[in-house]
Every structure is written in C-alpha cells, then in structure tokens.
Amino acid sequence: QSVLTQPPAVSGAPGQRVTISCTGSSSNIGTGYEVHWYQQLPGRAPQLLIYGNSNRPSGVPDRFSGSKSGTSASLAITGLQAEDEADYYCQSYDNSLGAYVFGAGTKVTVL
Amino acid sequence: QVQLQESGPGLVKPSETLSLTCTVSGGSVNGYFWSWIRQPPGKGLEWIGFVYSSGSTNYNPSLQSRVTISIDTSKNQFSLSLTSVTAADTAVYYCARARRDYGDYFFDYWGQGTLVAVSA
C-alpha cells in the first residue's frame, strides 16, 4: 500500500476536464517535497508529465496541469482526448521511509 | 535525445541473483544520477535506487540488503544486482535518469523496460 493515495480510476467524455488527486502526509508532500506526475500508456514505459508540482517538460500539451496544496497534489487534464487513456502516477519523497515513492496509479478512461 | 536500453536475462531462478545493465546513448552518464525502478505485473512503480556518476549510491531501505547498483562511465552503462530473488521480484525493470532543477529528484528519461520473471 502506497503512502501516496490516488483514486484507482477516473473517467470523462471527450472534451471534458478530469482531475486526479494524490494525497500524502506530513512525511512527504506535507513537508514540502515536490510532486511529479507520469503518464504510462498501455504497454509502454512511464513518461514524465509534470515536474516540480506544476512544470511541464517540453512537448507536453498545456492541457495537462499540476498543483499542490498542503498534503495533497492534483493533476488536471482539460479537453480530454482519446489518446489520454493511460495510467497516471504521482511521485514524491518520503522522509520517514527514506525513499522516493509513487502513488498506486489512476487509470483514466475516455468514455 | 537521451535514450536508455535495459538488457539481461528474462528468467532467473529463485534464490539466485538478478543482473541487469542499462546502456545510455545520446548523452553522457557523467554528472547525473541514474536509477532503477520496477513494476510488478498489473501493479504500481517501486523505486529501487540511484547511482551517481561518481559511483555513490542511494538505495530504497526496503531492498537495501539485497541491492547493488554500479556504474561504468567508460561504457556509459550502469547495472543492477538483486540477490536472493523470489517470485515477488518478478517485474518489469526500468532504468531511468534522475534529475532535479531546484527541488527534488524526478525521472525524466526512461528505458522501455525489461520483464524479469523469477521461476524455477
């Protein structure tokens, strides 16, 4: 069981906005450690989507945005597209475990 | 464009040692941290550890007693050794580059992954 909690699944119609939460604690997100997000398309390796809570690497569409507040972070996808169907993982550092940790992942389905 | 490629046996017997190598192309291993991350079938991601180009390491405490990550800068490669494997170590193993801007480390380049099964 991960110390970063994500909903197992979210869904939305094309064009809609969906959000994925990543809830941590005082030993990770709440302490000030940054949150990063990865997209894993079916059968593929994860790809960096958001780093440093809210920064997009070059090439990532601005439909993807990240935010952080307190012990939680969120990934928002606006203008949902069929190609966004994937698993999404948040990542941070936990000073109690002494390890970089990932959430269990959220499967996004485009209806 | 940095590219990473994992290589090694796809099948390891229980109690033996899992050994994988990651070859980096399109850039140098010098000046960066390099990591191994694994994903059991149908499950989430688990960070295994880092090696810096100097050879210094940082391991996940949950695996530390069984893990060694090393680097060969002359070959632009780094390697993973995991001892005393069990079926629970069956996973897709990814190599990745770790980077940070002003804050904490994240993984910006990943290999395609290699499935390692532990079975007699």
Side-chain angles (χ1 to χ4, degrees):
Chain A
Q1 190 167 354
S2 177
V3 295
L4 302 179
T5 301
Q6 297 181 235
V10 299
S11 62
Q16 284 191 331
R17 179 179 187 269
V18 297
T19 61
I20 301 169
S21 60
C22 176
T23 302
S25 68
S26 58
S27 63
N28 42 68
I29 299 174
T31 295
Y33 292 110
E34 293 178 331
V35 178
H36 320 288
W37 292 90
Y38 303 86
Q39 177 192 61
Q40 187 174 32
L41 296 168
R44 303 291 297 274
Q47 296 181 83
L48 180 65
L49 195 64
I50 297 287
Y51 67 94
N53 302 324
S54 59
N55 301 293
R56 282 187 308 275
S58 174
V60 173
D62 60 7
R63 302 185 294 104
F64 296 92
S65 62
S67 63
K68 175 190 160 185
S69 178
T71 58
S72 294
S74 291
L75 174 71
I77 310 173
T78 58
L80 195 63
Q81 299 182 4
E83 66 202 51
D84 299 332
E85 276 206 347
D87 293 323
Y88 293 82
Y89 294 90
C90 60
Q91 176 244 313
S92 187
Y93 181 80
D94 188 283
N95 61 20
S96 177
L97 295 174
Y100 292 85
V101 292
F102 293 88
T106 297
K107 182 174 184 61
V108 171
T109 300
V110 181
L111 301 172
Chain B
Q1 177 82 347
V2 175
Q3 293 185 309
L4 296 86
Q5 178 68 58
E6 305 88 352
S7 59
L11 181 64
V12 181
K13 290 182 168 57
S15 80
E16 295 191 343
T17 297
L18 180 159
S19 296
L20 295 173
T21 295
C22 182
T23 301
V24 179
S25 58
S28 174
V29 296
N30 289 313
Y32 288 98
F33 282 88
W34 301 92
S35 192
W36 288 96
I37 295 161
R38 70 180 182 178
Q39 184 173 35
K43 296 188 178 181
L45 300 162
E46 180 180 31
W47 172 71
I48 298 171
F50 286 147
V51 61
Y52 188 59
S53 52
S54 66
S56 63
T57 54
N58 184 5
Y59 301 136
N60 189 326
S62 69
L63 296 167
Q64 185 162 1
S65 63
R66 298 193 293 131
V67 171
T68 302
I69 300 177
S70 58
I71 193 163
D72 187 335
T73 56
S74 67
K75 294 182 178 179
N76 234 32
Q77 293 177 335
F78 61 104
S79 298
L80 168 69
S81 175
L82 182 66
T83 62
S84 306
V85 297
T86 69
D89 295 309
T90 293
V92 174
Y93 285 77
Y94 296 101
C95 57
R97 190 180 80 171
R99 182 172 75 85
R100 67 178 179 180
D101 283 352
Y102 302 101
D104 310 317
Y105 285 98
F106 53 91
F107 307 99
D108 62 347
Y109 289 99
W110 295 65
Q112 66 185 25
T114 187
L115 175 62
V116 179
V118 178
S119 175

